[in-house]
Amino acid sequence: MFVNLSKLNLREECPLSDKGAPKLCLKALPGEGAERSCAFDGARVVLMPITDAAHVVHGPIACAGNSWDNRGARSSGAQLYRRGLTTDLMEMDVVYGGEKKLIQAIVEVAAKHRPKAVFVYATCLSALIGDDLEFACRQAQAQVPVPVIPVNAPGFLGDKNIGNRVSGEVLFQQVIGTAEPEGSHPFAINFIGEYNIAGDLWGVLPSLEAIGVKLQSCISGDARFDDLRTAHRAKLNILVCSKSLTNLVKQMEKKYGIPYIEGSFYGIHDTSKTLRAIAEAFGDADLIARTEDHIRQKEAETRALIAPYRQGLEGKRAVLFTGGVKTWSMVTTLKELGIEVLAGGTQNSTPEDFLRMKALMDPEAHIIEDTSAAGFLTLIKEKAPDLIVAGGKTKYLAHKTRTPFLDINHGRNLPYAGYNGMITFAKAVARTVFSPVWEKMQKPFPAGGDVP
Amino acid sequence: MMQPRSSVNADLAMDNVVAKAANATEDVKAGSASAAPAVTPRSYTGNPQKNSPALGATLAYMGVDGLLALLHGSQGCSTFIRLQLSRHFKEPVPLNSTALLEETAIFGGWEHLKKGIAKAADKFKPRIIGVMSSGLTETFGDDMGSAWSTLRQERPDLSGLPVVLAKTPDYIGSLQEGYQRTALALVETLAKDSAPQEAKTIALLPGAHLTPADVEELKDMVSLFGLTPLVLPDISTSLDGHSEIDPAPVVQGGITLEEIRRIPGSVAAFSFGPSMAVVGEALQRMHGVPHLAVHSLTGLDAVDLFVLTLCQISGRPIPERLLRQRSRLLDTLADYHDQIGQKKIALALESDLLLSLAGCLAEFGAVIQTALAASAPEPSAVPPGIPVAVGDLEHLEEMAAGSHLIIANSNARQAALPLKIPHLRAGLPVFDRAGMPQTVWIGYRGTQRFLIDCLNAMAV
């Protein structure tokens, strides 16, 4: 009943032997404190930003109860995706099976919340007790007028990336290509792996509009289900973040002939590079000219606006600890502000992400091998950076080291994508690096009360 | 493969489904007409207020100094817990995992648990390891006790390491149940030997509903009577948001192992919150420590009872400071009796906190319109006149209309915002208001603060 993992092309991407390289298909060791997430989480990360769908977790309270509405993926419309919906399996369900409860739950959720689709997620426990998710979804489908889509990525399947890939498969097999768009646009594109954290997507849309490119669908930030169904009519796929969705773009290329390029919208350099690559992929002279104009104008504007921040930040040294596209894109973005990356670490990236990060960083820079809390603390002590750039998981531990810290992952409130995002980012970096708080925290205080 | 449907047809078909479901709901209502207000029975939980029992277990373990918490489950279980607790307390949460994978679903996770304990012990050098199970491992029936005793034979160097094993499958309730079971496991494992009697020492067993600042207030109150408190678990020095000199990947602060071992010598034990009574009873059963179950520390009668008991145990009169605080509380009640009187309040909280806060509000003249517990409380612990039911935040959304105030965790904003009802944050998680871990709502001073917070929330 599970997705065939060999289909997800995990094996071929494993063999990096570099120190600190992400181990996509290897197993986390018990007790090592790797602090990585699971396949179920990975599946939800991709699908949950489909804002007008209901997301039903078939499992005990742990899987949904601790984690719903906890990511900053924003919506410009429907709020249904933020709802925590779960079968909340209890002891008797574990003994007698939860399929009937699940079918009934799907029907009730559909009636109460009127979603455009219902995504149903397996969990470790429901998989273990042998509940047949596909069967239950088919049964519910007979009573519900919108698509009911099983997502079979129980946590024990492995890391978050595996869940990302499973949801890519689900979208490819059951959503994309099930409806036709109303009209066609000569420059229609899809974003793949842009989750609209804190409104990142909205920072990029003005540039697309300026150059005359239409976003057919975004997989899956601020997504509407019906838009995703028409994604196969886009002319180009842009793999924005999480190379874990490579399987999706490759399959769309094969089946629908949609070529793909990779890009990032973090920082001036990567934003321009990606916009340019989009225009060049279409090969339209007018589009290329418009894009070059836009880039010239926005780069000049943005550089002028961040100049005062760069002046102060020049020569600062940072430790970077993140995943996915940010592993490499943040290196250039920080450089844009004159900040050198002393050390980098990654848990949830692909080997490609990792290699890119290494290529961009100073060869002397340190690659973090031990990504546990203990490893992190040792590194910070050793390197004494001026800034730590990482995600929420590390945030409060980082504060204990009394080092300026900037959250760049899904817990943040500010969008950092696109040219405007760069300005927001520069301000945020400066705010934390120059906050008067750190100096007060680092200043010794005489415990004995001795006045010097 | 699904066919594209026009949205008009889908909407029409959906109307039929809605109509059917509405009929079903009517039937249910007709069947239980006497019970008001009725919680709509559903096959799903919508916007859960429950957190997992293992999260409660982690919270309890965070109150023990030098402890490393190890969750026997897959990786995501611990990641979700770390994030949830971190965003509530704004603190790192040293929680480790046995990182179960697919083959463990077939062969069991027994070996993983042994490896996990050994690895965590070698790498992080904790003073204590606190293990909790998950729905996964309890379902395939991993025997944690035998895994640990086998490991102890294989690794004699680890035999001196205290390891606590708490059984907290995901399907037994909410965070309160996991916390309760873990507090019990801590007592049964680490305080199992008797200890010399200490005439002025009392054991305090705070429930999961107390904030770090609440626990500190509790210690201060007891100390005013010249008594020495031993608090298990003690999150007042570990999750109080202090800035360590040297951060570590294990719990920093909390009760020490030596202090836990002194607990059997206490002159009395108090448990706080109905769910914690079993832990106090265990102490009484194991060591003959007289146990007093304190259901609530919020509200005038509740605090009076506790304070008078402390007078008896210590042989001292009520300290001047507490009398002053009581007097201030009474004055606040007089000043605002009309603003709290007959106000309709809807609450959705873990049951210990729910009973405590709802009881206090009812005591001062408010009307409890809805009281939704995350899991069923002991019926005898429910104060009269409080309509307690088990429900989620979608139930709250359905039942809170017309009330003047909602008291629930941050997730209830999806209920409160559309209803335009003021929403006072309480419980866990609270991530969109500052200062929840520093909030004191117990004792005379805390009761006064709770009333003021309610009044200010309503004074829009």
Side-chain angles (χ1 to χ4, degrees):
Chain A
M1 70 183 272
F2 300 125
V3 169
N4 182 351
L5 289 184
S6 58
K7 247 172 70 181
L8 299 178
N9 299 323
L10 294 170
R11 216 139 290 185
E12 69 202 48
E13 295 177 22
C14 284
L16 275 193
S17 55
D18 301 46
K19 283 186 172 180
K23 293 174 176 66
L24 191 61
C25 62
L26 288 185
K27 298 160 175 68
L29 292 174
E32 71 174 350
E35 309 204 350
R36 297 197 294 220
S37 198
C38 65
F40 160 75
D41 189 27
R44 265 206 328 176
V45 163
V46 172
L47 298 174
M48 201 205 57
I50 303 171
T51 56
D52 50 8
H55 301 272
V56 178
V57 177
H58 184 41
I61 196 62
C63 310
N66 296 341
S67 67
W68 60 281
D69 197 16
N70 73 349
R71 289 176 67 88
R74 299 275 170 88
S75 168
S76 56
Q79 296 296 318
L80 182 55
Y81 74 116
R82 287 178 52 209
R83 217 157 253 273
L85 301 166
T86 173
T87 47
D88 187 8
L89 293 179
M90 302 302 287
E91 200 152 10
M92 283 301 125
D93 303 315
V94 173
V95 177
Y96 295 109
E99 275 170 25
K100 277 188 188 148
K101 190 178 190 184
L102 175 60
I103 296 164
Q104 189 55 30
I106 295 168
V107 173
E108 289 174 18
V109 163
K112 181 158 169 93
H113 295 295
R114 304 179 143 230
K116 289 287 183 185
V118 184
F119 287 91
V120 184
Y121 301 81
T123 60
C124 290
L125 192 63
S126 64
L128 182 72
I129 62 176
D131 279 359
D132 187 340
L133 202 67
E134 273 88 2
F135 170 79
C137 288
R138 269 200 311 277
Q139 295 285 311
Q141 182 69 81
Q143 304 174 60
V144 169
V146 294
V148 178
I149 300 166
V151 183
N152 230 328
F156 58 60
L157 222 49
D159 267 5
K160 197 168 165 181
N161 301 61
I162 292 176
N164 294 155
R165 279 168 195 241
V166 170
S167 49
E169 285 293 309
V170 165
L171 288 172
F172 180 72
Q173 286 170 14
Q174 304 196 51
V175 181
I176 294 167
T178 57
E180 293 299 328
E182 278 180 13
S184 93
H185 190 281
F187 307 126
I189 62 168
N190 296 319
F191 281 161
I192 315 279
E194 163 51 58
Y195 303 123
N196 198 29
I197 298 296
D200 271 354
L201 171 65
W202 303 329
V204 182
L205 290 180
S207 285
L208 295 187
E209 199 174 325
I211 64 174
V213 165
K214 187 201 167 182
L215 187 66
Q216 179 87 37
S217 75
C218 182
I219 301 173
S220 56
D222 194 12
R224 275 114 175 121
F225 187 73
D226 285 342
D227 291 343
L228 296 185
R229 300 176 113 184
T230 68
H232 62 301
R233 292 302 177 217
K235 311 281 196 303
L236 181 68
N237 274 337
I238 323 295
L239 191 54
V240 180
C241 179
S242 178
K243 287 246 340 200
S244 325
L245 283 172
T246 317
N247 61 326
L248 178 60
V249 288
K250 280 185 179 160
Q251 298 208 68
M252 287 178 79
E253 185 170 42
K254 207 167 147 193
K255 182 166 178 186
Y256 302 110
I258 307 174
Y260 76 93
I261 57 170
E262 287 170 49
S264 160
F265 291 103
Y266 292 120
I268 298 173
H269 173 266
D270 286 356
T271 301
S272 298
K273 196 175 157 194
T274 308
L275 290 174
R276 190 171 281 130
I278 293 172
E280 278 164 5
F282 282 111
D284 180 274
D286 284 349
L287 175 60
I288 292 172
R290 278 199 304 275
T291 306
E292 290 302 333
D293 278 352
H294 178 74
I295 289 173
R296 224 179 351 264
Q297 188 201 334
K298 292 307 286 187
E299 284 200 353
E301 260 177 49
T302 312
R303 289 225 163 84
L305 285 166
I306 63 168
Y309 304 104
R310 187 189 158 106
Q311 211 171 15
L313 293 168
E314 190 94 56
K316 298 282 181 197
R317 298 140 71 245
V319 161
L320 181 61
F321 200 70
T322 182
V325 69
K326 289 189 278 316
T327 46
W328 46 274
S329 203
M330 269 299 150
V331 179
T332 34
T333 308
L334 287 166
K335 271 188 185 160
E336 196 98 54
L337 292 171
I339 299 172
E340 195 59 40
V341 176
L342 273 181
T346 176
Q347 307 165 357
N348 286 319
S349 298
T350 59
E352 284 93 332
D353 285 331
F354 173 79
L355 291 177
R356 277 188 192 209
M357 172 180 86
K358 266 188 102 168
L360 286 167
M361 277 167 53
D362 189 307
E364 297 299 303
H366 185 96
I367 300 291
I368 303 167
E369 285 171 60
D370 182 355
T371 57
S372 72
F376 174 80
L377 289 173
T378 313
L379 180 90
I380 298 301
K381 202 165 188 178
E382 203 176 287
K383 297 281 176 184
D386 304 302
L387 173 67
I388 301 169
V389 180
K393 264 190 266 182
T394 324
K395 183 174 181 176
Y396 300 108
L397 190 63
H399 288 171
K400 302 302 179 200
T401 68
R402 304 169 187 225
T403 313
F405 173 88
L406 188 69
D407 186 352
I408 51 160
N409 277 5
H410 59 77
R412 68 187 143 94
N413 294 314
L414 299 169
Y416 293 150
Y419 296 110
N420 281 341
M422 183 65 206
I423 300 162
T424 311
F425 181 74
K427 287 179 183 172
V429 172
R431 252 198 322 273
T432 190
V433 170
F434 300 119
S435 166
V437 164
W438 309 112
E439 197 191 319
K440 290 192 193 302
M441 287 185 78
Q442 285 156 8
K443 203 169 118 185
F445 186 72
D450 321 318
V451 181
Chain B
M1 187 58 64
M2 272 158 300
Q3 296 304 310
R5 295 178 181 81
S6 88
S7 60
V8 178
N9 281 344
D11 279 349
L12 279 178
M14 190 61 96
D15 282 333
N16 287 333
V17 177
V18 171
K20 272 190 221 164
N23 285 338
T25 312
E26 284 307 312
D27 294 344
V28 169
K29 274 186 187 157
S32 59
S34 58
V39 174
T40 312
R42 279 197 295 256
S43 297
Y44 70 92
T45 294
N47 286 356
Q49 60 155 325
K50 278 204 284 186
N51 285 284
S52 74
L55 183 141
T58 310
L59 181 56
Y61 281 143
M62 290 305 117
V64 181
D65 189 46
L67 180 141
L68 181 125
L70 181 67
L71 195 153
H72 191 29
S74 43
Q75 294 182 44
C77 306
S78 57
T79 297
F80 288 150
I81 291 172
R82 263 198 310 274
L83 282 173
Q84 183 81 314
L85 287 173
S86 267
R87 70 176 178 162
H88 176 82
F89 287 104
K90 317 290 177 201
E91 285 299 300
V93 175
L95 171 63
N96 207 316
S97 157
T98 56
L100 298 185
L101 285 163
E102 205 167 3
E103 68 268 19
T104 29
I106 302 161
F107 301 113
W110 198 78
E111 283 294 337
H112 268 247
L113 179 56
K114 281 166 59 191
K115 278 185 203 151
I117 294 174
K119 178 84 186 175
D122 293 341
K123 183 168 174 180
F124 300 103
K125 310 269 180 259
R127 288 215 61 195
I128 305 164
I129 291 182
V131 185
M132 66 287 253
S133 58
S134 61
L136 186 63
T137 61
E138 287 295 334
T139 303
F140 53 62
D142 267 359
D143 182 352
M144 299 194 291
S146 76
W148 169 226
S149 63
T150 311
L151 177 66
R152 240 184 338 208
Q153 282 162 20
E154 291 168 12
R155 288 280 308 269
D157 59 311
L158 295 181
S159 62
L161 177 72
V163 172
V164 183
L165 305 169
K167 282 163 80 79
T168 54
D170 303 316
Y171 40 75
I172 50 127
S174 188
L175 85 88
Q176 190 177 288
E177 283 73 21
Y179 180 97
Q180 172 201 49
R181 284 177 175 222
T182 306
L184 186 61
L186 282 164
V187 164
E188 288 177 344
T189 313
L190 303 178
K192 65 174 182 300
D193 299 330
S194 57
Q197 282 285 320
E198 297 181 39
K200 290 284 170 200
T201 299
I202 62 166
L204 305 178
L205 306 164
H209 59 304
L210 297 192
T211 66
D214 281 334
V215 176
E216 185 173 52
E217 178 80 2
L218 188 55
K219 284 157 76 173
D220 287 349
M221 280 173 78
V222 169
S223 302
L224 286 175
F225 288 89
L227 297 166
T228 305
L230 293 174
V231 188
L232 182 69
D234 184 1
I235 58 170
S236 76
T237 50
S238 58
L239 287 175
D240 59 332
H242 62 287
S243 164
E244 287 105 334
I245 300 303
D246 237 343
V250 296
V251 178
Q252 297 219 312
I255 189 166
T256 62
L257 186 58
E258 290 72 23
E259 286 167 333
I260 298 176
R261 287 178 174 154
R262 281 168 54 202
I263 284 180
S266 307
V267 64
F270 288 88
S271 63
F272 300 96
S275 74
M276 289 296 282
V278 292
V279 187
E281 283 157 15
L283 264 183
Q284 181 152 11
R285 192 178 58 243
M286 290 162 68
H287 303 291
V289 181
H291 164 241
L292 294 129
V294 179
H295 279 187
S296 172
L297 273 177
T298 306
L300 188 67
D301 292 347
V303 183
D304 280 352
L305 186 66
F306 179 57
V307 164
L308 292 172
T309 311
L310 289 177
C311 287
Q312 283 169 9
I313 288 177
S314 66
R316 289 199 193 182
I318 299 171
E320 183 58 33
R321 200 197 302 180
L322 289 182
L323 288 173
R324 192 86 195 161
Q325 288 176 10
R326 186 177 191 276
S327 177
R328 288 188 192 124
L329 170 60
L330 288 174
D331 193 59
T332 300
L333 291 177
D335 294 346
Y336 292 100
H337 73 279
D338 200 36
Q339 279 80 359
I340 202 83
Q342 296 303 310
K343 280 290 182 305
K344 289 184 275 184
I345 320 270
L347 307 96
L349 296 162
E350 296 274 337
S351 69
D352 282 0
L353 186 58
L354 179 80
L355 299 181
S356 177
L357 300 185
C360 168
L361 289 166
E363 183 187 11
F364 299 145
V367 176
I368 306 303
Q369 175 172 318
T370 302
L372 294 169
S375 54
E378 181 65 38
S380 64
V382 179
I386 296 184
V388 175
V390 176
D392 55 36
L393 298 175
E394 214 166 273
H395 290 122
L396 179 71
E397 208 171 317
E398 292 158 1
M399 296 164 74
S403 64
H404 298 99
L405 180 66
I406 284 173
I407 304 179
N409 68 26
S410 291
N411 285 326
R413 68 214 147 114
Q414 286 192 37
L417 278 176
L419 291 169
K420 298 193 172 65
I421 297 172
H423 172 196
L424 180 64
R425 269 68 170 174
L428 187 154
V430 174
F431 48 79
D432 60 346
R433 289 293 182 276
M436 198 64 217
Q438 287 76 32
T439 301
V440 179
W441 282 349
I442 63 154
Y444 296 123
R445 187 163 54 173
T447 301
Q448 183 194 31
R449 173 46 56 189
F450 170 60
L451 280 179
I452 290 169
D453 287 346
C454 287
L455 291 161
N456 284 342
M458 285 189 284
V460 185

